[in-house]
Amino acid sequence: MSGRGIALYPASLDPIHYGHINVAIRASRFFDELVVAIYANPNKKRVLFEIEERVELAKEIFQNYAAISVAKYNILTVNYAQSVGAIALIRGLRVFGDFEFEFRMGMANKKLAPELETIAILSDEQYMHISSSTIREIAELGGDVSSMVPPIISDALRKKFGT
């Protein structure tokens, strides 16, 4: 199903996992283009993958999806969304705590950019337990994260942690 316009899926993707990928692919069905926008937060001191690494990994993962592009940004999300002509922000929901955070963020974004809609997509059930922080911790301790991330990400994590 193709919709109209451009949607922005903002995330840090440190690392990207099957939950992120699932939401992006499903969201892309409703828009002509989905921009997976990776936020380069200059205030975030502890990142595992630098912004360029995250962008390259995401580009490789989405290379076979014509409607999905990957970009980085470091400005207010609504400003970046406006700069690419987005009509909607895509947010993924996994657990109840996500709803409260996303609700507050969506309300703030609506105040800043009333023309932008926030669309929440529930993660498929098999991905609800996955989070980037959990993946980082498991991988750092030498655990197997292959059920949570694509092989390219598993390999990148092993290289990062020397496991």
Side-chain angles (χ1 to χ4, degrees), residues 91-104:
R91 303 303 297 166
L93 298 177
R94 295 174 300 125
V95 294
F96 293 118
D98 287 351
F99 178 80
E100 182 181 355
F101 174 81
E102 295 300 345
F103 179 82
R104 283 185 278 124

Side-chain angles (χ1 to χ4, degrees), residues 85-151:
I87 61 171
L89 299 172
I90 303 299
R91 303 303 297 166
L93 298 177
R94 295 174 300 125
V95 294
F96 293 118
D98 287 351
F99 178 80
E100 182 181 355
F101 174 81
E102 295 300 345
F103 179 82
R104 283 185 278 124
M105 185 67 66
M107 294 305 294
N109 286 338
K110 196 68 168 167
K111 288 283 187 195
L112 294 169
E115 74 284 1
L116 278 174
E117 293 297 332
T118 297
I119 299 173
I121 295 183
L122 298 175
S123 178
D124 278 348
E125 186 177 0
Q126 72 244 38
Y127 306 121
M128 287 193 169
H129 68 286
I130 302 174
S131 73
S132 293
S133 58
T134 300
I135 291 167
R136 287 191 305 269
E137 185 173 347
I138 293 168
E140 185 173 16
L141 297 171
D144 180 12
V145 294
S146 62
S147 67
M148 298 177 234
V149 297

Side-chain angles (χ1 to χ4, degrees), residues 10 40 51 59 61 65 69 81 112 118 121 148 153:
I51 185 66
K59 282 182 177 180
I61 287 165
Y65 296 89
S69 63
L112 294 169
T118 297
I121 295 183
M148 298 177 234
I153 304 302

Side-chain angles (χ1 to χ4, degrees), residues 49-60:
F49 293 100
E50 295 300 324
I51 185 66
E52 297 302 333
E53 292 174 295
R54 288 181 273 155
V55 167
E56 287 308 312
L57 290 167
K59 282 182 177 180
E60 191 159 336

Side-chain angles (χ1 to χ4, degrees), residues 4-11 23 27 31 33-37 73 75-93 102 104-121:
R4 67 183 213 308
I6 299 168
L8 188 78
Y9 179 25
V23 168
F31 297 93
E33 181 183 353
L34 176 74
V35 178
V36 175
Y73 74 105
I75 60 175
L76 196 62
T77 298
V78 294
N79 291 348
Y80 185 70
Q82 292 166 331
S83 79
V84 299
I87 61 171
L89 299 172
I90 303 299
R91 303 303 297 166
L93 298 177
E102 295 300 345
R104 283 185 278 124
M105 185 67 66
M107 294 305 294
N109 286 338
K110 196 68 168 167
K111 288 283 187 195
L112 294 169
E115 74 284 1
L116 278 174
E117 293 297 332
T118 297
I119 299 173
I121 295 183

